[in-house]
């Protein structure tokens, strides 16, 4: 089991100037503690990954409560990758007005060859079309993606509090649709006072608020979307934060799995033609073993062992431990068992409060490891005598190769050196050396870039391309023969918490050679087989629909 070292290179990389603004002014309004996410994408199409970091804003009507320094000119910060792991903040004019932003979902929705940006927020979502040269046009209204609203008991209209989002071809027509998760029905006038310490307000848990429904937007014409939530069967109220995409029943259609906070988790099975049904309870992922809905935050899907069934990992509140739902074989349909305890994850994940969460092959041995980003929601938690800390260290669990995990946090370099109020987590090869680096956001704090310094591992990195409106083949499934095993990855699977990771797929080779590659193209029965000795020892290749491939 090869080791892995992560080094904190935030300052040297030029990312140290970002600070998340959570709007806090002493009243502990709930959104202040929930944000925010980050994203990785090649926005300028120069071959490397750039960074988008989401902040917030200050609450209007409370300017006297803030220090004299001005708030952020805009809540969206873009950093261009200059190469050699150096970034430079992109100054754009005019700046976008600040919003209380939560998360992002990145994709080339208009098929023009560059990465566009959808941003979720408490006070209204935004679709930012990439027009090149670091110019992003706000096309939200023209695209039909204006946030829905709800009415408080007093008659006040408030936008839905949107959180996680994912691009997918929901109806199989070849272009990208958009699923947007919604949290709770909250507004500043309806904020509820709750307390851990007598007389001192605490951040309220969402069980005191009504749930809201996520939304599905179908791209009904190029660049325009229609809200088809009711017709799709997705108008199911929840308290949703994280969302991931995976074809669980191997029928060529992308399903949705959603982590809910103090509400049963969703597993939306894609029935075809844009219709879904929630099978979360029947599948065994809605509740814990005691029939209780946990406080789900981040979520991801992956194989615990090469060739095995998929597993769903969900980060939960402190004292609830991680959920690890393993599918009981593909022939069993949508049936899962929580295997967190058997996998060795229960005890070390019990006390931390986990937000961002991702499967990744950190040491390139061919098995997916698990990275967790932790941090409590209340700065006063240490005064409550619970033994819990507000800032918490991230965690790395290395897969032994059989679906069980070992906690290597405290011998993985700088991972445990600085506790964070962790929230977002994005994973990608930021320095182009073939392994996966980690970017973390902190509530009310700075970014943390952890460079992966594993030594000697080899990887095969693959991107897909097809001549449809879904150019990057989001929802596609890739299987690679590595040694004697088949290893599976999904393109654009979403996941984590409010964040968007690199789309290219990374297959660790360990001591083996890569062989045949099989691709299941999204929204299609078409499967293609690619064979060449060129990728046996690794490298980065683009597989094109129709059997062609090129080296990057």
């Amino acid at each position: 089991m090869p080791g892995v070292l992560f080094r904190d290179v935030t300052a040297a990389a030029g990312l140290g100037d970002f600070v998340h603004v959570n709007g806090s002014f002493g009243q502990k309004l709930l959104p202040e503690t929930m944000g925010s996410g980050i994203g990785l994408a090649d926005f300028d199409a120069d071959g490397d990954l750039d960074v988008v970091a989401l902040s917030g804003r200050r609450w209007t009507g409370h300017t006297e409560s803030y220090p004299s320094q001005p708030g952020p000119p805009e809540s969206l910060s873009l950093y261009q990758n200059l190469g050699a792991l150096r970034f430079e903040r992109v100054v754009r004019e005019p700046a976008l007005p600040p919003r209380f932003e939560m998360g992002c979902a990145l994709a080339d929705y208009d098929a023009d060859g560059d990465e566009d940006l959808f941003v979720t927020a408490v006070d209204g979502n935004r679709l930012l079309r990439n027009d090149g040269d670091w110019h992003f046009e706000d096309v939200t209204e023209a695209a039909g993606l204006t946030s829905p609203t709800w009415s408080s008991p007093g008659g006040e209209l408030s936008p839905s509090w949107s959180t996680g989002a994912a691009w997918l071809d929901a109806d199989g027509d070849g272009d990208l649709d958009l699923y947007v998760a919604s949290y709770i029905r909250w507004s500043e006038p309806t904020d509820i006072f709750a307390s851990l310490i007598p007389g001192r307000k605490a951040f309220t848990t969402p069980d005191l608020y009504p749930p809201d429904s996520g939304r599905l937007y179908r791209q009904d014409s190029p660049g325009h979307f229609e809200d088809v939530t009711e017709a799709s069967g997705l108008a199911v109220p929840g308290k949703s934060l994280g969302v991931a995409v995976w074809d669980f029943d191997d029928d060529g259609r992308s399903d949705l799995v959603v982590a809910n906070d103090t509400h049963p988790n969703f597993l939306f099975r894609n029935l075809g033609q844009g219709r879904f049904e929630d099978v979360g309870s029947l599948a065994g992922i809605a509740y814990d073993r005691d029939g209780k809905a946990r406080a789900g935050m981040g979520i991801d899907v992956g194989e615990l062992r090469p060739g095995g069934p998929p597993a769903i990992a969900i980060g939960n509140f402190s004292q609830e431990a991680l959920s690890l739902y393993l599918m009981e074989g593909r022939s069993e349909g949508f049936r899962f068992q929580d295997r967190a305890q058997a996998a060795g994850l229960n005890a070390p994940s019990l006390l931390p409060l986990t937000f961002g969460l991702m499967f990744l092959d950190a040491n390139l041995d061919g098995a997916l490891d698990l990275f967790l980003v932790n941090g409590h929601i209340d700065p006063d938690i240490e005064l409550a005598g619970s033994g819990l800390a507000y800032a918490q260290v991230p965690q790395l669990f290395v897969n032994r190769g059989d679906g069980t995990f070992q906690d290597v946090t405290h011998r993985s370099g700088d991972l445990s050196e600085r506790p964070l109020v962790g929230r977002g987590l994005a994973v990608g090869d930021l320095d182009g050396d073939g392994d996966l680096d980690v970017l973390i956001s902190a509530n009310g704090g700075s970014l943390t870039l952890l460079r992966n310094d594993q030594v000697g591992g080899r990887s095969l990195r693959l991107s897909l391309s097809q001549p449809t409106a879904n150019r990057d083949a989001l929802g596609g499934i890739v299987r690679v023969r590595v040694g004697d095993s088949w290893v599976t990855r999904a393109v654009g699977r979403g996941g984590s918490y409010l964040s968007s990771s690199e789309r290219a797929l990374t297959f660790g080779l360990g001591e083996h050679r890569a062989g045949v590659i099989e691709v299941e193209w999204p929204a299609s029965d078409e499967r293609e087989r690619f064979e060449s000795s060129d990728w046996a020892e690794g490298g980065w290749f683009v597989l094109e629909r129709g059997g062609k491939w090129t080296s990057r």
Side-chain angles (χ1 to χ4, degrees), residues 2 306 361 363-367 434 454 456-462 480-485 487 489 505-517 533-541:
D361 187 355
N363 54 12
L364 300 182
D365 66 349
Q454 65 82 33
R458 295 175 297 117
S459 68
L460 174 66
R461 288 169 49 77
L462 300 174
V480 177
R481 187 76 173 176
V482 180
D484 296 327
S485 301
V487 182
R489 302 281 190 270
L505 305 176
T506 300
F507 295 80
L509 300 182
E511 299 176 352
H512 304 290
R513 291 164 58 90
V516 176
I517 302 173
S533 60
D534 287 27
W535 52 68
E537 301 298 327
W540 190 353
F541 300 86

Side-chain angles (χ1 to χ4, degrees), residues 503-534:
R503 188 167 303 120
L505 305 176
T506 300
F507 295 80
L509 300 182
E511 299 176 352
H512 304 290
R513 291 164 58 90
V516 176
I517 302 173
E518 292 184 352
V519 176
E520 297 179 19
W521 295 101
S524 166
D525 295 330
E526 183 179 350
R527 303 190 180 196
E528 281 194 287
R529 187 179 179 94
F530 295 80
E531 296 186 61
S532 173
S533 60
D534 287 27

Side-chain angles (χ1 to χ4, degrees), residues 234-393:
L234 292 173
V236 185
K239 300 178 181 182
S240 304
L241 291 171
V243 54
V245 180
W246 194 273
D247 180 8
F248 288 102
D249 52 359
D250 200 23
D251 64 356
R253 298 190 289 261
S254 293
D255 309 302
L256 289 164
V257 58
V258 180
N260 284 317
D261 190 356
T262 68
H263 190 92
N265 299 317
F266 298 143
L267 178 50
F268 291 115
R269 182 178 187 177
N270 192 331
L271 304 176
Q273 298 181 336
R275 289 281 302 170
F276 292 80
E277 66 172 343
D278 179 21
V279 297
S281 294
L282 292 175
I285 74 155
Y287 304 93
D288 66 11
R289 292 174 179 269
D290 299 321
K292 177 177 175 281
R294 286 187 267 196
M297 311 289 181
I299 189 169
D300 201 13
V301 183
E303 289 182 339
L304 298 189
R305 54 183 177 80
I312 301 168
I314 301 176
N316 296 310
F317 207 80
S318 180
Q319 304 284 7
E320 290 185 335
L322 186 79
S323 302
L324 186 70
Y325 296 107
L326 180 63
M327 196 169 185
E328 294 187 323
R330 296 186 186 275
S331 62
E332 297 296 325
F334 284 67
R335 291 177 56 188
F336 293 79
Q337 286 285 339
D338 191 346
R339 304 291 294 170
Q341 183 170 349
L345 296 169
N346 253 34
S349 69
L350 182 62
L351 288 182
L353 197 168
T354 300
F355 279 88
L357 170 154
M358 289 290 289
F359 285 112
L360 75 161
D361 187 355
N363 54 12
L364 300 182
D365 66 349
L368 287 177
D369 312 307
L370 194 54
F371 199 105
L372 275 60
V373 171
N374 306 312
H376 210 277
I377 63 170
D378 202 302
D380 295 328
I381 189 62
E382 294 167 30
L383 302 178
S386 61
L388 301 174
Y390 181 46
Q392 303 173 2
V393 298

Side-chain angles (χ1 to χ4, degrees), residues 72-87:
E74 61 178 343
S75 43
L76 183 92
S77 297
L78 292 164
Y79 291 86
Q80 181 182 16
N81 191 335
L82 305 177
L85 211 61
R86 287 285 304 169
F87 294 84

Side-chain angles (χ1 to χ4, degrees), residues 7 12 42 70 84 109 155 182 200-201 206 265 269 341 399 403 412 453:
R7 297 300 183 194
D42 185 4
Y109 80 91
S182 293
R200 187 189 293 262
K201 189 175 189 289
N265 299 317
R269 182 178 187 177
Q341 183 170 349
N399 192 331
S412 296
D453 282 351

